[in-house]
Amino acid sequence: MADLLTAAQMRAVETAAMNSGEVSGLELMERAGTGVVEAVFKHWPELARRAHRAVVLCGPGNNGGDGFVIARLLVARGWEVELYLYGVLDRLPPDARRNAERWQEIGQILPLEPGFEASSRRAALVVDALFGTGLSRPIADLGATLLDLAELRGEGAALSAGERPDWTPLIVAVDLPSGLCSDSGRVLRDEHFVGLPEVLEAASAAADLTVTFHARKLGHVLDEGPELCGTVVVVPIGLEPRRSRAPRSERVAEVTAPAGLAKAGGHKFSHGHALVLSGGFGRTGAARLSARAALRAGAGLVTLGAPGAAQMEIAAQITALMLRRIEGAEELSELLEDDRLNALCLGPGLGLERSLELAPVALEAERPTLLDADALSAFADDPAELFGLLHKGCVLTPHGGEFARLFPDLAARLREVAEAGPAYSRVDAAREAARRAGCVVLLKGPDTVIAAPDGRCAVNAGVGARAAPWLATAGAGDVLAGLICGLMARGLAPFEAAGAGAWLHVEAARAFGPGLIAEDLPEALPGVLADLL
């Protein structure tokens, strides 16, 4: 898994490299600026074929210093560049000031004043080097500039090279679109203006291309970040041998392709036996989706536990799955005397009353257990009751609404306007929820966050090149629940199973493509798993 860095972690990596004498700040700035220019020309080859006009917007920190380098390199390629500075030249950090002086040898620094709109300059490229990862408060006085960039985004990129006039610009952001929180992917807004749409929109720029350095940041994949960043490209600046030295409990990994999921022989019981509990007559579809996914994920055996009234309905729909009658707590307790049943899935279509009856029995068995949907909502009136039943082998998989029912205070913090400091993020919320519940919590979304009580955290970013918007279909969450349960049956620990299941879920959707319905997901899994061999 690759790390997704916070702003502080990125600063620590850079500082350690500079303090060791490996590289200077000026060298890092030169590499960053060079990386942006190269990424622009690679992403938009038409811009490399001849000289154009560019507008470079520089901020008062080192992000602005990168902008001075970019401007200088574009001029060296014959471009006409207008450069605007938001801030005071004499107050720039030393490295940024040195690059400003180098720029002044070939070009003019113009003041970036309130009301400035880059669209008025008839440029082919606009470089947003105003504020990068270090931004911790809303940007003052630049509402018109940010709104202009937000409205321009996509206009130039939507046109082919032959159609695009020079005054329909492409927008590249250095590190992040200005106004976006690097740690949360949330726009930093002034709460006094929330509710005024024109100001709300102007709280952040947007980009067609975002070029970042060394590693992706959390803000590139969380919340509003993917929409505002456009395509994200990571360029190396010589820090590759260095990793964040933050403790594991503070690091966030990006979920990548899991290894070792293909079956390698053995008896069916050596690959685990999952039990999926179903609701009553007319409510069995969700559990059947979960059970099918658990089987496709590689569980050796999968049993559906259903009340007698639903058995005929289920029997008419299944073949490879097994079926057991479970009317209530007594039958479930008897069934769980079989130790070969080593992973449980409760919630999809289970019903609130049935969840309240069966969850305590299932959790008392202390097998790896996934709780989703009704098994979470059933405890909305008293989340502490559920937390008292949970054990470290559990995985909770709430969507936003279910998360708000179990953790209303954390959900409220996510809704608060981010006025100053790093905004409260989905990573923060999931970590706090996992500590409170004492088990793994998977907070669903395009930016799915998986957190463990010990602070381990990962993000499965179904955004950008991995986006699969057709996953927003009824029953997709039931399939995810079954995938994770099946992987736990095979012996994966809860945190690893949750990450692998989330990754497979997105990849199966991408393999199928538009038009997907939930039933298609398990059937797309064999192809995804085959690609992992």
Side-chain angles (χ1 to χ4, degrees):
M1 292 187 179
D3 281 350
L4 295 165
L5 300 186
T6 65
Q9 289 164 352
M10 184 63 194
R11 282 194 300 272
V13 169
E14 292 174 327
T15 300
M18 290 186 288
N19 288 345
S20 71
E22 295 172 19
V23 66
S24 69
L26 275 173
E27 288 172 324
L28 287 177
M29 202 167 281
E30 190 73 18
R31 294 172 187 176
T34 300
V36 171
V37 172
E38 291 176 350
V40 165
F41 289 151
K42 183 178 181 179
H43 192 68
W44 295 304
E46 65 270 23
L47 293 184
R49 297 190 186 112
R50 65 180 179 87
H52 296 266
R53 175 196 293 266
V55 171
V56 179
L57 308 178
C58 294
N62 285 328
N63 197 253
D66 297 339
F68 287 113
V69 175
I70 294 165
R72 172 166 46 80
L73 295 175
L74 290 176
V75 167
R77 291 174 176 260
W79 281 51
E80 180 184 348
V81 177
E82 290 183 7
L83 185 145
Y84 295 83
L85 174 63
Y86 178 69
V88 180
L89 182 62
D90 292 340
R91 295 179 185 172
L92 289 174
D95 294 331
R97 175 64 187 272
R98 177 66 186 116
N99 275 306
E101 292 168 350
R102 294 187 68 186
W103 166 253
Q104 285 181 305
E105 295 172 4
I106 59 173
Q108 184 181 7
I109 296 177
L110 302 169
L112 180 56
E113 297 174 342
F116 175 83
E117 296 182 351
S119 60
S120 67
R121 307 312 301 163
R122 301 172 70 85
L125 179 71
V126 176
V127 178
D128 172 13
L130 288 167
F131 295 92
T133 59
L135 187 67
S136 61
R137 61 178 60 86
I139 300 173
D141 303 327
L142 289 184
T145 301
L146 299 178
L147 179 59
D148 184 54
L149 292 176
E151 291 180 338
L152 281 177
R153 198 279 293 271
E155 290 192 9
L159 302 174
S160 68
E163 296 174 322
R164 187 188 307 113
D166 276 354
W167 57 86
T168 307
L170 297 161
I171 301 173
V172 59
V174 179
D175 246 347
L176 286 163
S178 294
L180 189 67
C181 174
S182 176
D183 292 353
S184 70
R186 297 177 63 193
V187 173
L188 296 167
R189 297 181 170 98
D190 188 327
E191 70 171 356
H192 301 294
F193 296 128
V194 171
L196 301 177
E198 69 279 5
V199 177
L200 196 61
E201 290 180 25
S204 175
D208 299 303
L209 172 69
T210 295
V211 182
T212 193
F213 314 113
H214 181 60
R216 288 211 283 183
K217 315 305 182 294
L218 281 167
H220 293 132
V221 301
L222 292 177
D223 219 300
E224 300 167 277
E227 171 60 24
L228 293 175
C229 290
T231 300
V232 178
V233 173
V234 180
V235 300
I237 54 173
L239 300 173
E240 286 60 49
R242 290 191 169 272
R243 290 174 57 87
S244 169
R245 295 183 179 180
R248 186 176 70 169
S249 61
E250 295 178 10
R251 287 163 52 185
V252 180
E254 184 170 10
V255 176
T256 53
L261 292 185
K263 289 186 176 180
H267 190 270
K268 59 190 175 185
F269 281 108
S270 68
H271 294 286
H273 188 170
L275 173 65
V276 179
L277 297 179
S278 171
F281 178 78
R283 293 178 56 88
T284 68
R288 284 188 280 112
L289 283 171
S290 298
R292 181 77 172 176
L295 199 60
R296 284 291 193 195
L301 294 161
V302 180
T303 292
L304 273 160
Q311 284 188 291
M312 197 72 102
E313 176 185 334
I314 293 174
Q317 302 283 344
I318 65 173
T319 304
L321 300 169
M322 297 188 293
L323 180 61
R324 283 290 297 267
R325 178 170 178 165
I326 296 179
E327 290 291 347
E330 183 177 348
E331 290 87 351
L332 178 58
S333 181
E334 291 175 0
L335 182 59
L336 290 178
E337 291 177 3
D338 184 348
D339 291 336
R340 293 176 298 180
L341 286 162
N342 66 334
L344 314 178
C345 176
L346 287 79
L350 190 57
L352 301 182
E353 291 185 8
R354 190 162 164 80
S355 293
L356 286 171
E357 180 182 6
L358 298 183
V361 177
L363 292 168
E364 187 178 7
E366 295 194 346
R367 316 280 168 83
T369 303
L370 183 135
L371 292 95
D372 183 41
D374 290 342
L376 302 177
S377 296
F379 294 90
D381 291 338
D382 188 5
E385 180 184 355
L386 174 62
F387 302 154
L389 297 170
L390 297 172
H391 54 79
K392 63 182 181 181
C394 294
V395 177
L396 312 184
T397 56
H399 57 52
E402 291 157 351
F403 187 87
R405 294 180 197 117
L406 292 180
F407 308 99
D409 56 324
L410 305 184
R413 289 190 66 184
L414 281 173
R415 292 191 296 269
E416 291 174 357
V417 174
E419 244 194 312
Y424 190 74
S425 74
R426 285 168 55 82
V427 164
D428 298 324
R431 273 181 164 149
E432 288 194 45
R435 284 192 289 268
R436 189 177 300 177
C439 67
V440 171
V441 172
L442 181 150
L443 177 54
K444 289 188 281 197
D447 52 346
T448 292
V449 180
I450 304 125
D454 61 6
R456 284 178 297 160
C457 191
V459 176
N460 183 60
V463 300
R466 290 193 72 232
W470 42 89
L471 256 179
T473 185
D478 305 320
V479 173
L480 175 60
L483 285 175
I484 298 171
C485 180
L487 292 170
M488 290 196 296
R490 293 186 56 183
L492 271 69
F495 183 79
E496 285 71 25
W503 188 89
L504 291 170
H505 194 235
V506 171
E507 291 305 307
R510 293 181 63 232
F512 188 91
L516 173 93
I517 58 175
E519 289 95 324
D520 301 321
L521 286 166
E523 311 319 307
L525 276 174
V528 174
L529 292 169
D531 288 341
L532 297 177
L533 294 176

